Amino acid sequence: MPAPTLARRLVSPLLLLLLAGCGAGLLPSIHSEAERLAVARRLHDAGEYASAAELLKVYVSNNVGAADVDQAMFLLGHCHLKTKDWPAATSEFERLLRDYPESDSSAAARFALAEVEFAQSRSADFDQEYTIKALDDWQRYLHDFPGHWQTAEAANQILACRSRLADKLVRTGVLYLQLKLPEPARVYFR
């Protein structure tokens, strides 16, 4: 058998396998909005957050008045949270809280919003803007949803926020002492 014919016989199956592998990451075909939401939930539960987010974006934009759009918005925000797309997650959770305040997903959205903010916070050596925001949202969560199942976790997170803020104050006071400025140090230690 000549070399070019043998090469074609070997390359053709390899090329087909390569092309078949490229299609493995495609989303399944969707025939209805209910199916889109169901597939997005399955992808979310399987940990395929980016793929689920793509389906959920379309579902949320196409079904503004649907009964389960609030659940889709929460799932979309959660997908963004898991992929560390903080601005998008914040936007979805805030939108759900603003547009659907009576939703069953509101409590979980308030908790998740605090999670997003705490995830963006930095150690006590840095500015604590996001720690303060997370603290405020977890406190609001406890106030607004006292019987929700994540209240114990929220209480623990509030302690973590307060500890970080206290650590920031102590470190600043120590810095002023090192600079031989006792009056500002005293203010921070109080």
Side-chain angles (χ1 to χ4, degrees):
M1 192 178 288
T5 306
L6 180 62
R8 273 192 225 130
R9 284 187 172 181
L10 291 175
V11 170
S12 294
L14 290 174
L15 186 60
L16 287 174
L17 286 173
L18 179 67
L19 290 174
C22 290
L26 297 176
L27 294 173
S29 60
I30 305 295
H31 303 291
S32 70
E33 290 300 314
E35 184 181 0
R36 181 182 317 280
L37 184 57
V39 170
R41 282 185 175 142
R42 281 195 302 272
L43 289 170
H44 174 273
D45 293 344
E48 296 180 34
Y49 301 113
S51 298
E54 291 304 315
L55 290 174
L56 289 165
K57 284 179 197 174
V58 174
Y59 183 85
V60 168
S61 67
N62 290 346
N63 296 281
V64 174
D68 52 6
V69 73
D70 57 327
Q71 295 169 15
M73 289 171 88
F74 176 77
L75 281 177
L76 179 55
H78 193 258
C79 287
H80 291 310
L81 172 69
K82 289 298 192 177
T83 58
K84 298 183 180 180
D85 185 354
W86 311 131
T90 299
S91 174
E92 289 304 323
F93 293 134
E94 286 178 343
R95 181 176 165 200
L96 190 148
L97 290 165
R98 181 188 64 240
D99 295 349
Y100 302 95
E102 300 299 320
S103 166
D104 292 340
S105 301
S106 290
R110 174 66 62 199
F111 186 90
L113 182 59
E115 281 186 305
V116 169
E117 290 162 347
F118 193 69
Q120 295 177 80
S121 68
R122 300 176 70 188
S123 70
D125 292 329
F126 298 97
D127 181 47
Q128 295 301 302
E129 173 188 4
Y130 286 107
T131 305
I132 293 168
K133 286 181 178 182
L135 176 62
D136 289 343
D137 273 323
W138 270 313
Q139 288 174 329
R140 189 177 313 159
Y141 165 81
L142 285 178
H143 178 267
D144 294 346
F145 309 102
H148 196 253
W149 66 275
Q150 289 180 297
T151 55
E153 177 63 22
N156 288 338
Q157 292 298 92
I158 286 171
L159 288 176
C161 289
R162 287 182 176 159
S163 295
R164 183 175 291 171
L165 292 172
D167 190 26
K168 172 72 173 175
L169 293 173
V170 168
R171 288 176 186 225
T172 305
V174 168
L175 176 64
Y176 278 117
L177 283 179
Q178 290 171 346
L179 295 171
K180 299 187 185 333
L181 297 168
E183 287 305 314
R186 188 173 292 123
V187 169
Y188 280 94
F189 290 140
R190 280 189 194 145

PDB file of all heavy atoms in Angstrom, residues 44 49 53 74-90 92-93 108-109 111-120:
ATOM      1  N   HIS A  44     -26.574  23.078  36.671  1.00  0.00           N
ATOM      2  CA  HIS A  44     -26.192  23.715  37.943  1.00  0.00           C
ATOM      3  C   HIS A  44     -25.881  22.653  38.992  1.00  0.00           C
ATOM      4  O   HIS A  44     -24.867  22.714  39.683  1.00  0.00           O
ATOM      5  CB  HIS A  44     -27.324  24.633  38.418  1.00  0.00           C
ATOM      6  CG  HIS A  44     -27.086  25.218  39.770  1.00  0.00           C
ATOM      7  ND1 HIS A  44     -27.454  24.568  40.931  1.00  0.00           N
ATOM      8  CD2 HIS A  44     -26.513  26.386  40.152  1.00  0.00           C
ATOM      9  CE1 HIS A  44     -27.123  25.302  41.964  1.00  0.00           C
ATOM     10  NE2 HIS A  44     -26.551  26.417  41.524  1.00  0.00           N
ATOM     11  N   TYR A  49     -21.516  25.386  36.057  1.00  0.00           N
ATOM     12  CA  TYR A  49     -22.130  26.674  36.325  1.00  0.00           C
ATOM     13  C   TYR A  49     -22.121  27.608  35.119  1.00  0.00           C
ATOM     14  O   TYR A  49     -23.085  28.343  34.904  1.00  0.00           O
ATOM     15  CB  TYR A  49     -21.453  27.334  37.523  1.00  0.00           C
ATOM     16  CG  TYR A  49     -21.546  26.489  38.766  1.00  0.00           C
ATOM     17  CD1 TYR A  49     -20.420  25.910  39.333  1.00  0.00           C
ATOM     18  CD2 TYR A  49     -22.780  26.228  39.354  1.00  0.00           C
ATOM     19  CE1 TYR A  49     -20.512  25.130  40.464  1.00  0.00           C
ATOM     20  CE2 TYR A  49     -22.880  25.442  40.483  1.00  0.00           C
ATOM     21  CZ  TYR A  49     -21.748  24.896  41.028  1.00  0.00           C
ATOM     22  OH  TYR A  49     -21.855  24.106  42.144  1.00  0.00           O
ATOM     23  N   ALA A  53     -25.464  29.040  33.496  1.00  0.00           N
ATOM     24  CA  ALA A  53     -25.679  30.485  33.459  1.00  0.00           C
ATOM     25  C   ALA A  53     -26.130  30.946  32.082  1.00  0.00           C
ATOM     26  O   ALA A  53     -27.007  31.814  31.967  1.00  0.00           O
ATOM     27  CB  ALA A  53     -24.408  31.219  33.884  1.00  0.00           C
ATOM     28  N   PHE A  74     -32.301  33.391  41.017  1.00  0.00           N
ATOM     29  CA  PHE A  74     -31.439  32.943  42.111  1.00  0.00           C
ATOM     30  C   PHE A  74     -30.385  31.964  41.596  1.00  0.00           C
ATOM     31  O   PHE A  74     -29.207  32.079  41.932  1.00  0.00           O
ATOM     32  CB  PHE A  74     -32.243  32.291  43.239  1.00  0.00           C
ATOM     33  CG  PHE A  74     -31.345  31.749  44.306  1.00  0.00           C
ATOM     34  CD1 PHE A  74     -30.763  32.589  45.231  1.00  0.00           C
ATOM     35  CD2 PHE A  74     -31.020  30.401  44.345  1.00  0.00           C
ATOM     36  CE1 PHE A  74     -29.892  32.102  46.195  1.00  0.00           C
ATOM     37  CE2 PHE A  74     -30.144  29.899  45.300  1.00  0.00           C
ATOM     38  CZ  PHE A  74     -29.581  30.767  46.227  1.00  0.00           C
ATOM     39  N   LEU A  75     -30.802  30.995  40.789  1.00  0.00           N
ATOM     40  CA  LEU A  75     -29.843  30.033  40.239  1.00  0.00           C
ATOM     41  C   LEU A  75     -28.788  30.732  39.398  1.00  0.00           C
ATOM     42  O   LEU A  75     -27.604  30.380  39.456  1.00  0.00           O
ATOM     43  CB  LEU A  75     -30.560  28.978  39.402  1.00  0.00           C
ATOM     44  CG  LEU A  75     -31.253  27.861  40.155  1.00  0.00           C
ATOM     45  CD1 LEU A  75     -31.977  26.936  39.184  1.00  0.00           C
ATOM     46  CD2 LEU A  75     -30.273  27.072  40.988  1.00  0.00           C
ATOM     47  N   LEU A  76     -29.200  31.724  38.617  1.00  0.00           N
ATOM     48  CA  LEU A  76     -28.249  32.474  37.801  1.00  0.00           C
ATOM     49  C   LEU A  76     -27.249  33.201  38.694  1.00  0.00           C
ATOM     50  O   LEU A  76     -26.037  33.157  38.458  1.00  0.00           O
ATOM     51  CB  LEU A  76     -28.994  33.460  36.897  1.00  0.00           C
ATOM     52  CG  LEU A  76     -28.141  34.336  35.994  1.00  0.00           C
ATOM     53  CD1 LEU A  76     -27.204  33.505  35.120  1.00  0.00           C
ATOM     54  CD2 LEU A  76     -29.038  35.221  35.139  1.00  0.00           C
ATOM     55  N   GLY A  77     -27.736  33.853  39.737  1.00  0.00           N
ATOM     56  CA  GLY A  77     -26.828  34.509  40.676  1.00  0.00           C
ATOM     57  C   GLY A  77     -25.884  33.521  41.329  1.00  0.00           C
ATOM     58  O   GLY A  77     -24.693  33.796  41.505  1.00  0.00           O
ATOM     59  N   HIS A  78     -26.409  32.352  41.690  1.00  0.00           N
ATOM     60  CA  HIS A  78     -25.581  31.319  42.320  1.00  0.00           C
ATOM     61  C   HIS A  78     -24.521  30.804  41.348  1.00  0.00           C
ATOM     62  O   HIS A  78     -23.376  30.535  41.757  1.00  0.00           O
ATOM     63  CB  HIS A  78     -26.452  30.172  42.836  1.00  0.00           C
ATOM     64  CG  HIS A  78     -25.728  29.261  43.742  1.00  0.00           C
ATOM     65  ND1 HIS A  78     -25.262  28.031  43.332  1.00  0.00           N
ATOM     66  CD2 HIS A  78     -25.349  29.401  45.037  1.00  0.00           C
ATOM     67  CE1 HIS A  78     -24.637  27.456  44.345  1.00  0.00           C
ATOM     68  NE2 HIS A  78     -24.674  28.256  45.388  1.00  0.00           N
ATOM     69  N   CYS A  79     -24.875  30.672  40.074  1.00  0.00           N
ATOM     70  CA  CYS A  79     -23.884  30.264  39.064  1.00  0.00           C
ATOM     71  C   CYS A  79     -22.760  31.294  38.990  1.00  0.00           C
ATOM     72  O   CYS A  79     -21.580  30.945  38.926  1.00  0.00           O
ATOM     73  CB  CYS A  79     -24.540  30.106  37.698  1.00  0.00           C
ATOM     74  SG  CYS A  79     -25.588  28.656  37.540  1.00  0.00           S
ATOM     75  N   HIS A  80     -23.130  32.579  38.993  1.00  0.00           N
ATOM     76  CA  HIS A  80     -22.113  33.631  38.962  1.00  0.00           C
ATOM     77  C   HIS A  80     -21.267  33.615  40.239  1.00  0.00           C
ATOM     78  O   HIS A  80     -20.060  33.842  40.189  1.00  0.00           O
ATOM     79  CB  HIS A  80     -22.764  35.002  38.778  1.00  0.00           C
ATOM     80  CG  HIS A  80     -23.373  35.210  37.432  1.00  0.00           C
ATOM     81  ND1 HIS A  80     -22.716  34.955  36.245  1.00  0.00           N
ATOM     82  CD2 HIS A  80     -24.603  35.653  37.083  1.00  0.00           C
ATOM     83  CE1 HIS A  80     -23.500  35.240  35.234  1.00  0.00           C
ATOM     84  NE2 HIS A  80     -24.660  35.664  35.712  1.00  0.00           N
ATOM     85  N   LEU A  81     -21.895  33.338  41.367  1.00  0.00           N
ATOM     86  CA  LEU A  81     -21.161  33.227  42.632  1.00  0.00           C
ATOM     87  C   LEU A  81     -20.124  32.107  42.534  1.00  0.00           C
ATOM     88  O   LEU A  81     -18.964  32.292  42.916  1.00  0.00           O
ATOM     89  CB  LEU A  81     -22.129  32.954  43.783  1.00  0.00           C
ATOM     90  CG  LEU A  81     -21.526  32.615  45.148  1.00  0.00           C
ATOM     91  CD1 LEU A  81     -20.835  33.825  45.754  1.00  0.00           C
ATOM     92  CD2 LEU A  81     -22.600  32.113  46.098  1.00  0.00           C
ATOM     93  N   LYS A  82     -20.527  30.963  42.017  1.00  0.00           N
ATOM     94  CA  LYS A  82     -19.615  29.818  41.930  1.00  0.00           C
ATOM     95  C   LYS A  82     -18.490  30.035  40.924  1.00  0.00           C
ATOM     96  O   LYS A  82     -17.414  29.460  41.076  1.00  0.00           O
ATOM     97  CB  LYS A  82     -20.395  28.546  41.568  1.00  0.00           C
ATOM     98  CG  LYS A  82     -21.271  28.055  42.701  1.00  0.00           C
ATOM     99  CD  LYS A  82     -20.430  27.703  43.897  1.00  0.00           C
ATOM    100  CE  LYS A  82     -21.188  26.961  44.942  1.00  0.00           C
ATOM    101  NZ  LYS A  82     -20.378  26.567  46.067  1.00  0.00           N
ATOM    102  N   THR A  83     -18.739  30.851  39.890  1.00  0.00           N
ATOM    103  CA  THR A  83     -17.681  31.132  38.914  1.00  0.00           C
ATOM    104  C   THR A  83     -16.900  32.398  39.268  1.00  0.00           C
ATOM    105  O   THR A  83     -16.075  32.858  38.492  1.00  0.00           O
ATOM    106  CB  THR A  83     -18.260  31.268  37.488  1.00  0.00           C
ATOM    107  OG1 THR A  83     -19.243  32.306  37.471  1.00  0.00           O
ATOM    108  CG2 THR A  83     -18.867  29.959  37.009  1.00  0.00           C
ATOM    109  N   LYS A  84     -17.200  32.955  40.445  1.00  0.00           N
ATOM    110  CA  LYS A  84     -16.515  34.130  40.980  1.00  0.00           C
ATOM    111  C   LYS A  84     -16.680  35.368  40.104  1.00  0.00           C
ATOM    112  O   LYS A  84     -15.807  36.221  40.028  1.00  0.00           O
ATOM    113  CB  LYS A  84     -15.034  33.838  41.234  1.00  0.00           C
ATOM    114  CG  LYS A  84     -14.842  32.753  42.260  1.00  0.00           C
ATOM    115  CD  LYS A  84     -13.403  32.505  42.556  1.00  0.00           C
ATOM    116  CE  LYS A  84     -13.320  31.397  43.612  1.00  0.00           C
ATOM    117  NZ  LYS A  84     -11.975  31.088  43.965  1.00  0.00           N
ATOM    118  N   ASP A  85     -17.831  35.459  39.445  1.00  0.00           N
ATOM    119  CA  ASP A  85     -18.186  36.658  38.697  1.00  0.00           C
ATOM    120  C   ASP A  85     -18.988  37.532  39.649  1.00  0.00           C
ATOM    121  O   ASP A  85     -20.209  37.564  39.622  1.00  0.00           O
ATOM    122  CB  ASP A  85     -19.006  36.284  37.452  1.00  0.00           C
ATOM    123  CG  ASP A  85     -19.295  37.479  36.562  1.00  0.00           C
ATOM    124  OD1 ASP A  85     -18.973  38.624  36.955  1.00  0.00           O
ATOM    125  OD2 ASP A  85     -19.858  37.266  35.472  1.00  0.00           O
ATOM    126  N   TRP A  86     -18.266  38.225  40.539  1.00  0.00           N
ATOM    127  CA  TRP A  86     -18.895  38.962  41.627  1.00  0.00           C
ATOM    128  C   TRP A  86     -19.880  40.022  41.162  1.00  0.00           C
ATOM    129  O   TRP A  86     -20.982  40.097  41.713  1.00  0.00           O
ATOM    130  CB  TRP A  86     -17.844  39.588  42.540  1.00  0.00           C
ATOM    131  CG  TRP A  86     -16.752  38.670  42.994  1.00  0.00           C
ATOM    132  CD1 TRP A  86     -15.410  38.929  42.945  1.00  0.00           C
ATOM    133  CD2 TRP A  86     -16.856  37.366  43.593  1.00  0.00           C
ATOM    134  NE1 TRP A  86     -14.694  37.867  43.455  1.00  0.00           N
ATOM    135  CE2 TRP A  86     -15.564  36.894  43.864  1.00  0.00           C
ATOM    136  CE3 TRP A  86     -17.935  36.548  43.897  1.00  0.00           C
ATOM    137  CZ2 TRP A  86     -15.297  35.661  44.425  1.00  0.00           C
ATOM    138  CZ3 TRP A  86     -17.681  35.301  44.469  1.00  0.00           C
ATOM    139  CH2 TRP A  86     -16.383  34.883  44.726  1.00  0.00           C
ATOM    140  N   PRO A  87     -19.538  40.869  40.176  1.00  0.00           N
ATOM    141  CA  PRO A  87     -20.513  41.893  39.765  1.00  0.00           C
ATOM    142  C   PRO A  87     -21.817  41.302  39.229  1.00  0.00           C
ATOM    143  O   PRO A  87     -22.898  41.790  39.540  1.00  0.00           O
ATOM    144  CB  PRO A  87     -19.774  42.683  38.681  1.00  0.00           C
ATOM    145  CG  PRO A  87     -18.331  42.435  38.938  1.00  0.00           C
ATOM    146  CD  PRO A  87     -18.245  41.046  39.493  1.00  0.00           C
ATOM    147  N   ALA A  88     -21.707  40.252  38.440  1.00  0.00           N
ATOM    148  CA  ALA A  88     -22.911  39.630  37.883  1.00  0.00           C
ATOM    149  C   ALA A  88     -23.739  38.971  38.981  1.00  0.00           C
ATOM    150  O   ALA A  88     -24.973  39.062  38.981  1.00  0.00           O
ATOM    151  CB  ALA A  88     -22.543  38.612  36.811  1.00  0.00           C
ATOM    152  N   ALA A  89     -23.086  38.320  39.930  1.00  0.00           N
ATOM    153  CA  ALA A  89     -23.810  37.686  41.035  1.00  0.00           C
ATOM    154  C   ALA A  89     -24.522  38.747  41.873  1.00  0.00           C
ATOM    155  O   ALA A  89     -25.701  38.597  42.203  1.00  0.00           O
ATOM    156  CB  ALA A  89     -22.844  36.880  41.907  1.00  0.00           C
ATOM    157  N   THR A  90     -23.813  39.812  42.198  1.00  0.00           N
ATOM    158  CA  THR A  90     -24.417  40.900  42.968  1.00  0.00           C
ATOM    159  C   THR A  90     -25.622  41.466  42.242  1.00  0.00           C
ATOM    160  O   THR A  90     -26.685  41.675  42.845  1.00  0.00           O
ATOM    161  CB  THR A  90     -23.381  42.020  43.220  1.00  0.00           C
ATOM    162  OG1 THR A  90     -22.291  41.473  43.962  1.00  0.00           O
ATOM    163  CG2 THR A  90     -23.982  43.192  43.964  1.00  0.00           C
ATOM    164  N   GLU A  92     -27.629  40.028  40.030  1.00  0.00           N
ATOM    165  CA  GLU A  92     -28.771  39.111  40.022  1.00  0.00           C
ATOM    166  C   GLU A  92     -29.452  39.029  41.384  1.00  0.00           C
ATOM    167  O   GLU A  92     -30.674  39.049  41.476  1.00  0.00           O
ATOM    168  CB  GLU A  92     -28.345  37.717  39.562  1.00  0.00           C
ATOM    169  CG  GLU A  92     -28.003  37.632  38.092  1.00  0.00           C
ATOM    170  CD  GLU A  92     -29.109  38.094  37.157  1.00  0.00           C
ATOM    171  OE1 GLU A  92     -30.298  37.850  37.439  1.00  0.00           O
ATOM    172  OE2 GLU A  92     -28.775  38.711  36.133  1.00  0.00           O
ATOM    173  N   PHE A  93     -28.663  38.943  42.446  1.00  0.00           N
ATOM    174  CA  PHE A  93     -29.259  38.848  43.783  1.00  0.00           C
ATOM    175  C   PHE A  93     -29.980  40.146  44.150  1.00  0.00           C
ATOM    176  O   PHE A  93     -31.078  40.119  44.709  1.00  0.00           O
ATOM    177  CB  PHE A  93     -28.216  38.480  44.832  1.00  0.00           C
ATOM    178  CG  PHE A  93     -27.669  37.092  44.667  1.00  0.00           C
ATOM    179  CD1 PHE A  93     -26.309  36.853  44.740  1.00  0.00           C
ATOM    180  CD2 PHE A  93     -28.505  36.010  44.438  1.00  0.00           C
ATOM    181  CE1 PHE A  93     -25.791  35.576  44.606  1.00  0.00           C
ATOM    182  CE2 PHE A  93     -28.005  34.725  44.284  1.00  0.00           C
ATOM    183  CZ  PHE A  93     -26.648  34.513  44.377  1.00  0.00           C
ATOM    184  N   ALA A 108     -32.709  33.309  50.617  1.00  0.00           N
ATOM    185  CA  ALA A 108     -31.467  32.733  50.102  1.00  0.00           C
ATOM    186  C   ALA A 108     -30.684  33.770  49.295  1.00  0.00           C
ATOM    187  O   ALA A 108     -29.441  33.787  49.332  1.00  0.00           O
ATOM    188  CB  ALA A 108     -31.768  31.511  49.247  1.00  0.00           C
ATOM    189  N   ALA A 109     -31.369  34.655  48.596  1.00  0.00           N
ATOM    190  CA  ALA A 109     -30.694  35.696  47.822  1.00  0.00           C
ATOM    191  C   ALA A 109     -30.001  36.695  48.748  1.00  0.00           C
ATOM    192  O   ALA A 109     -28.885  37.128  48.473  1.00  0.00           O
ATOM    193  CB  ALA A 109     -31.679  36.412  46.910  1.00  0.00           C
ATOM    194  N   PHE A 111     -28.852  36.081  51.774  1.00  0.00           N
ATOM    195  CA  PHE A 111     -27.697  35.371  52.325  1.00  0.00           C
ATOM    196  C   PHE A 111     -26.578  35.290  51.282  1.00  0.00           C
ATOM    197  O   PHE A 111     -25.414  35.555  51.579  1.00  0.00           O
ATOM    198  CB  PHE A 111     -28.106  33.967  52.780  1.00  0.00           C
ATOM    199  CG  PHE A 111     -27.011  33.228  53.482  1.00  0.00           C
ATOM    200  CD1 PHE A 111     -26.865  33.328  54.857  1.00  0.00           C
ATOM    201  CD2 PHE A 111     -26.117  32.439  52.775  1.00  0.00           C
ATOM    202  CE1 PHE A 111     -25.844  32.654  55.516  1.00  0.00           C
ATOM    203  CE2 PHE A 111     -25.093  31.756  53.417  1.00  0.00           C
ATOM    204  CZ  PHE A 111     -24.957  31.867  54.792  1.00  0.00           C
ATOM    205  N   ALA A 112     -26.946  34.933  50.049  1.00  0.00           N
ATOM    206  CA  ALA A 112     -25.949  34.793  48.985  1.00  0.00           C
ATOM    207  C   ALA A 112     -25.306  36.133  48.645  1.00  0.00           C
ATOM    208  O   ALA A 112     -24.109  36.185  48.330  1.00  0.00           O
ATOM    209  CB  ALA A 112     -26.591  34.170  47.751  1.00  0.00           C
ATOM    210  N   LEU A 113     -26.074  37.212  48.704  1.00  0.00           N
ATOM    211  CA  LEU A 113     -25.507  38.538  48.455  1.00  0.00           C
ATOM    212  C   LEU A 113     -24.422  38.843  49.490  1.00  0.00           C
ATOM    213  O   LEU A 113     -23.350  39.349  49.157  1.00  0.00           O
ATOM    214  CB  LEU A 113     -26.603  39.599  48.488  1.00  0.00           C
ATOM    215  CG  LEU A 113     -26.175  41.028  48.208  1.00  0.00           C
ATOM    216  CD1 LEU A 113     -25.537  41.152  46.828  1.00  0.00           C
ATOM    217  CD2 LEU A 113     -27.378  41.952  48.318  1.00  0.00           C
ATOM    218  N   ALA A 114     -24.688  38.502  50.736  1.00  0.00           N
ATOM    219  CA  ALA A 114     -23.668  38.687  51.777  1.00  0.00           C
ATOM    220  C   ALA A 114     -22.453  37.806  51.498  1.00  0.00           C
ATOM    221  O   ALA A 114     -21.310  38.233  51.705  1.00  0.00           O
ATOM    222  CB  ALA A 114     -24.257  38.380  53.150  1.00  0.00           C
ATOM    223  N   GLU A 115     -22.687  36.590  51.007  1.00  0.00           N
ATOM    224  CA  GLU A 115     -21.564  35.705  50.646  1.00  0.00           C
ATOM    225  C   GLU A 115     -20.699  36.322  49.560  1.00  0.00           C
ATOM    226  O   GLU A 115     -19.465  36.250  49.628  1.00  0.00           O
ATOM    227  CB  GLU A 115     -22.087  34.357  50.146  1.00  0.00           C
ATOM    228  CG  GLU A 115     -22.515  33.402  51.204  1.00  0.00           C
ATOM    229  CD  GLU A 115     -22.872  32.053  50.604  1.00  0.00           C
ATOM    230  OE1 GLU A 115     -23.727  32.010  49.692  1.00  0.00           O
ATOM    231  OE2 GLU A 115     -22.299  31.045  51.044  1.00  0.00           O
ATOM    232  N   VAL A 116     -21.343  36.908  48.555  1.00  0.00           N
ATOM    233  CA  VAL A 116     -20.605  37.541  47.455  1.00  0.00           C
ATOM    234  C   VAL A 116     -19.743  38.683  47.995  1.00  0.00           C
ATOM    235  O   VAL A 116     -18.574  38.808  47.632  1.00  0.00           O
ATOM    236  CB  VAL A 116     -21.579  38.058  46.374  1.00  0.00           C
ATOM    237  CG1 VAL A 116     -20.870  38.949  45.368  1.00  0.00           C
ATOM    238  CG2 VAL A 116     -22.258  36.903  45.666  1.00  0.00           C
ATOM    239  N   GLU A 117     -20.327  39.483  48.862  1.00  0.00           N
ATOM    240  CA  GLU A 117     -19.581  40.618  49.404  1.00  0.00           C
ATOM    241  C   GLU A 117     -18.432  40.162  50.297  1.00  0.00           C
ATOM    242  O   GLU A 117     -17.330  40.703  50.222  1.00  0.00           O
ATOM    243  CB  GLU A 117     -20.535  41.546  50.147  1.00  0.00           C
ATOM    244  CG  GLU A 117     -21.467  42.258  49.176  1.00  0.00           C
ATOM    245  CD  GLU A 117     -22.702  42.846  49.798  1.00  0.00           C
ATOM    246  OE1 GLU A 117     -23.010  42.509  50.966  1.00  0.00           O
ATOM    247  OE2 GLU A 117     -23.376  43.623  49.115  1.00  0.00           O
ATOM    248  N   PHE A 118     -18.674  39.137  51.112  1.00  0.00           N
ATOM    249  CA  PHE A 118     -17.601  38.645  51.976  1.00  0.00           C
ATOM    250  C   PHE A 118     -16.490  37.993  51.155  1.00  0.00           C
ATOM    251  O   PHE A 118     -15.313  38.099  51.509  1.00  0.00           O
ATOM    252  CB  PHE A 118     -18.154  37.657  53.012  1.00  0.00           C
ATOM    253  CG  PHE A 118     -17.185  37.360  54.112  1.00  0.00           C
ATOM    254  CD1 PHE A 118     -16.852  38.329  55.041  1.00  0.00           C
ATOM    255  CD2 PHE A 118     -16.596  36.108  54.224  1.00  0.00           C
ATOM    256  CE1 PHE A 118     -15.943  38.062  56.070  1.00  0.00           C
ATOM    257  CE2 PHE A 118     -15.697  35.829  55.235  1.00  0.00           C
ATOM    258  CZ  PHE A 118     -15.368  36.816  56.159  1.00  0.00           C
ATOM    259  N   ALA A 119     -16.847  37.353  50.066  1.00  0.00           N
ATOM    260  CA  ALA A 119     -15.836  36.734  49.201  1.00  0.00           C
ATOM    261  C   ALA A 119     -14.915  37.780  48.585  1.00  0.00           C
ATOM    262  O   ALA A 119     -13.757  37.493  48.272  1.00  0.00           O
ATOM    263  CB  ALA A 119     -16.510  35.918  48.106  1.00  0.00           C
ATOM    264  N   GLN A 120     -15.423  38.999  48.418  1.00  0.00           N
ATOM    265  CA  GLN A 120     -14.611  40.073  47.840  1.00  0.00           C
ATOM    266  C   GLN A 120     -13.801  40.828  48.886  1.00  0.00           C
ATOM    267  O   GLN A 120     -12.936  41.630  48.547  1.00  0.00           O
ATOM    268  CB  GLN A 120     -15.514  41.074  47.111  1.00  0.00           C
ATOM    269  CG  GLN A 120     -16.217  40.482  45.919  1.00  0.00           C
ATOM    270  CD  GLN A 120     -17.148  41.483  45.297  1.00  0.00           C
ATOM    271  OE1 GLN A 120     -16.714  42.347  44.549  1.00  0.00           O
ATOM    272  NE2 GLN A 120     -18.421  41.382  45.629  1.00  0.00           N
TER     273      GLN A 120
END
